[in-house]
């Protein structure tokens, strides 16, 4: 470093270093930081220390992304409710993407001001996750919802959206990681704004939200996010597997092709998000619902229910059974989930998300999995009373034991390996009834 001693920048920094060291450990004033965030056009804000137990499962990911993180700034920006409520989904998508862009810009304004004060920050992004090298695993850096709940910005409703006590669920969430502590942190509100009115249950076109609180992630993901990630992968495979334009048109109609073009040109389009549209919770939102519930349902919920549209479902899924019974005027189209786990960890992580409880009716079995080869792992999967439980190691007595080479098993899941051939080559070994393996597969259609 001696050869840099006389450089003007080096001289300047060394003159500043002493004073910077004296102030770097002083916590930021929480009231001043809150005012800064609101002036940057956040609509509400809270602060969570990085080691808060409520976000412990994100701790390693946070520090991997930004090692000096000490505090998470959680904030919300409001959406235009009427754009979300309309059955015209182009208007809803315009609002979604415009508000996500706004939230990211709010975060950038806050970060810029903090940088000028000597506070380092990192913005994971409020909108679409970008870590696609990890797909179909965890592709996001921060799970904004649990951070927002920890920060006191709302609670999760039965539709799995954060409901702000004032703004309802018509919000975008943002998080900023900073390298400073603050003088006062915020904590969860002491009630849930969710009314449990079940309007989200009534509006959901795929039955993803159960009246008993159950949530079918797979059903929601397959339809609502049809033009994102896995749906796009499935569409691309459809093109590749079509021998001619005529064969492609037999599988994908002109409207669907145009919709995919729209997503590629103007941001991916959500197919529903009706649960958000129908939600009446929140002080700023609740008046029409309480004033005249029947009128609210007629104006907001029924147009979404009556909309003639294509609903995307996985063959053999609960959604495929639900849609024709509940919404016979909507067209059901079978598609692949497009999800192919890249690892045994991804396979096990995805089981609760892909589980179809109605397809598991009558099945009560314990499965022991032993994976060998490039990825060694033991796990127990218990399917009982229409629930699924995944545990490390071999727990209890198995009704079916599966020992498999990890690469072969992943190839089988990706439909690249024939299970009969794998059994013959003893790359996959089964102890128990093969029917139990078939029943297992029916619970996780893809």
């Amino acid at each position: 470093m001696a050869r840099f001693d006389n450089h003007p920048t080096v001289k300047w920094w060394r003159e500043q270093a002493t004073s910077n060291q004296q102030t770097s450990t002083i916590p930021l004033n929480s009231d001043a930081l809150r005012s800064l965030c609101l002036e940057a056009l956040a609509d509400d804000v809270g602060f969570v220390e990085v080691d808060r137990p409520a976000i412990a499962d994100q701790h390693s990911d946070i520090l991997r992304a930004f090692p000096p993180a000490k505090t998470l700034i959680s904030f919300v920006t409001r959406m235009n409710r009427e754009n979300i409520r309309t059955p015209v989904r182009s208007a809803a998508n315009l609002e979604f993407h415009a508000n996500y862009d706004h939230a990211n810009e709010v975060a950038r304004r806050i970060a810029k001001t903090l940088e000028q004060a000597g506070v380092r920050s990192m913005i994971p992004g409020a909108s679409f996750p970008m870590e696609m090298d990890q797909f179909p695993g965890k592709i996001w850096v921060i799970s904004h919802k649990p951070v927002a709940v920890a920060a006191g910005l709302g609670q999760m409703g039965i539709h799995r959206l954060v409901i702000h006590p004032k703004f309802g669920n018509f919000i975008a969430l943002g998080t900023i990681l900073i390298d400073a502590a603050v003088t006062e942190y915020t904590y969860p509100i002491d009630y849930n704004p969710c009314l449990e009115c079940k309007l989200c249950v009534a509006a959901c076109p795929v039955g993803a939200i159960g009246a008993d609180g159950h949530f079918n992630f797979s059903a929601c993901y397959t339809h609502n996010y049809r033009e994102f990630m896995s749906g796009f992968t499935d569409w691309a495979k459809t093109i590749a597997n079509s021998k001619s334009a005529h064969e492609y048109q037999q599988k994908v109609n002109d409207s669907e092709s145009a919709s995919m073009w729209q997503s590629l040109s103007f941001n991916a389009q959500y197919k529903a998000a009706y649960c958000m549209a129908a939600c009446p919770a929140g002080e700023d939102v609740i008046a029409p619902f309480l004033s005249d519930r029947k009128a609210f349902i007629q104006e907001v919920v029924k147009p979404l229910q009556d909309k003639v549209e294509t609903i995307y479902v996985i063959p053999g899924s609960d959604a495929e059974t639900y849609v024709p019974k509940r919404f016979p005027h909507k067209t059901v189209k079978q598609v692949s989930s497009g999800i192919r786990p890249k690892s045994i960890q991804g396979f096990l992580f995805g089981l609760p998300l892909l589980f179809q409880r109605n397809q598991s009716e009558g099945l009560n079995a314990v499965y022991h999995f032993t994976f060998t080869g490039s990825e060694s792992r033991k796990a127990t999967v218990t399917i009982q009373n229409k629930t699924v439980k995944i545990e490390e190691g071999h727990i209890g007595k198995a009704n079916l034991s599966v020992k498999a080479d990890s690469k072969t098993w992943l190839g089988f899941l990706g439909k690249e390996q024939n299970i009969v051939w794998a059994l013959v080559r003893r790359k996959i070994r089964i102890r128990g009834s093969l029917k139990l393996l078939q029943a297992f597969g029916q619970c996780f259609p893809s």
Side-chain angles (χ1 to χ4, degrees), residues 300-321:
V300 176
V301 182
K302 201 164 188 310
L304 301 173
Q305 295 175 321
D306 293 345
K307 184 177 175 66
V308 176
E309 59 188 330
T310 298
I311 305 297
Y312 297 94
V313 302
I314 297 171
S317 66
D318 292 348
E320 185 183 30
T321 304

Side-chain angles (χ1 to χ4, degrees), residues 390-408:
I390 293 85
E391 299 173 280
E392 287 288 337
H394 290 167
I395 310 298
K397 183 179 180 181
N399 300 102
L400 181 72
S401 295
V402 178
K403 186 174 183 179
D405 170 71
S406 56
K407 286 186 177 180
T408 303

Side-chain angles (χ1 to χ4, degrees), residues 197-223:
C197 61
K198 308 294 172 54
L199 292 185
C200 55
V201 177
C204 179
V206 292
I209 309 165
D212 60 356
H214 176 76
F215 185 72
N216 187 329
F217 173 87
S218 176
C220 175
Y221 177 86
T222 301
H223 176 66

Side-chain angles (χ1 to χ4, degrees), residues 48-343:
V48 180
E49 64 274 32
V50 72
D51 56 359
R52 179 86 63 91
I55 58 169
D57 59 338
Q58 301 195 62
H59 190 259
S60 60
D61 289 338
I62 291 169
L63 295 184
R64 189 178 300 115
F66 189 58
K70 290 185 176 65
T71 298
L72 288 75
I73 300 175
S74 179
F75 68 91
V76 302
T77 57
R78 283 180 287 183
M79 294 183 180
N80 176 359
R81 297 193 295 273
E82 302 310 323
N83 264 41
I84 306 301
R85 285 173 170 169
T86 177
V88 179
R89 301 323 287 164
S90 59
N93 278 290
L94 172 65
E95 184 63 23
F96 286 135
H97 291 298
N99 202 266
Y100 291 145
D101 289 343
H102 172 59
N104 284 326
E105 186 55 37
V106 167
R108 292 182 71 250
R109 289 194 195 106
I110 295 169
K112 183 177 180 180
T113 304
L114 289 174
E115 183 182 40
Q116 292 170 348
V119 178
R120 297 170 61 193
S121 63
M122 183 265 185
I123 306 169
S127 54
F128 192 75
M130 299 295 183
E131 302 299 306
M132 286 303 148
D133 59 312
Q134 300 179 39
F135 182 78
K138 184 175 181 289
I139 59 175
W140 55 95
V141 178
I142 294 290
S143 297
H144 298 294
K145 293 178 184 179
V147 176
V149 171
L153 299 182
Q155 294 282 0
M156 295 276 278
I158 64 170
H159 54 2
R160 303 316 193 269
L161 297 173
V162 173
I163 303 176
H164 188 275
K166 184 172 176 61
F167 312 136
N169 70 181
F170 298 97
I171 53 175
L173 303 175
T175 308
I176 306 170
L177 311 178
I178 63 174
D179 72 343
V182 301
T183 54
E184 187 176 351
Y185 290 98
T186 54
Y187 295 90
I189 58 176
D190 58 5
Y191 74 101
N192 194 330
C194 179
L195 304 172
E196 296 193 19
C197 61
K198 308 294 172 54
L199 292 185
C200 55
V201 177
C204 179
V206 292
I209 309 165
D212 60 356
H214 176 76
F215 185 72
N216 187 329
F217 173 87
S218 176
C220 175
Y221 177 86
T222 301
H223 176 66
N224 193 40
Y225 298 88
R226 172 61 187 164
E227 291 167 6
F228 294 71
M229 301 168 295
S230 294
F232 176 81
T233 302
D234 183 50
W235 175 73
K237 288 181 179 178
T238 300
I239 295 175
N241 291 332
S242 299
K243 297 178 181 178
S244 65
H246 175 73
E247 184 176 334
Y248 170 78
Q249 288 180 321
Q250 297 301 306
K251 301 173 182 176
V252 183
N253 62 38
D254 290 345
S255 174
E256 290 176 304
S257 293
S259 184
M260 192 61 75
W261 167 84
Q262 182 186 38
S263 282
L264 292 171
S265 302
F266 301 103
N267 293 316
Q269 304 292 292
Y270 299 89
K271 290 296 184 183
Y274 295 172
C275 54
M276 177 183 282
C279 183
E283 293 172 3
D284 286 357
V285 186
I286 201 169
F289 174 72
L290 293 183
S291 299
D292 191 335
R293 297 186 190 185
K294 288 184 178 180
F296 182 86
I297 292 170
Q298 283 296 121
E299 181 180 340
V300 176
V301 182
K302 201 164 188 310
L304 301 173
Q305 295 175 321
D306 293 345
K307 184 177 175 66
V308 176
E309 59 188 330
T310 298
I311 305 297
Y312 297 94
V313 302
I314 297 171
S317 66
D318 292 348
E320 185 183 30
T321 304
Y322 177 86
V323 179
K325 290 182 179 178
R326 183 67 183 84
F327 301 109
H329 57 287
K330 296 182 188 287
T331 301
V332 173
K333 182 162 186 176
Q334 295 181 340
V335 296
S336 166
S337 70
I339 295 177
R340 293 178 51 199
K342 297 193 300 184
S343 66

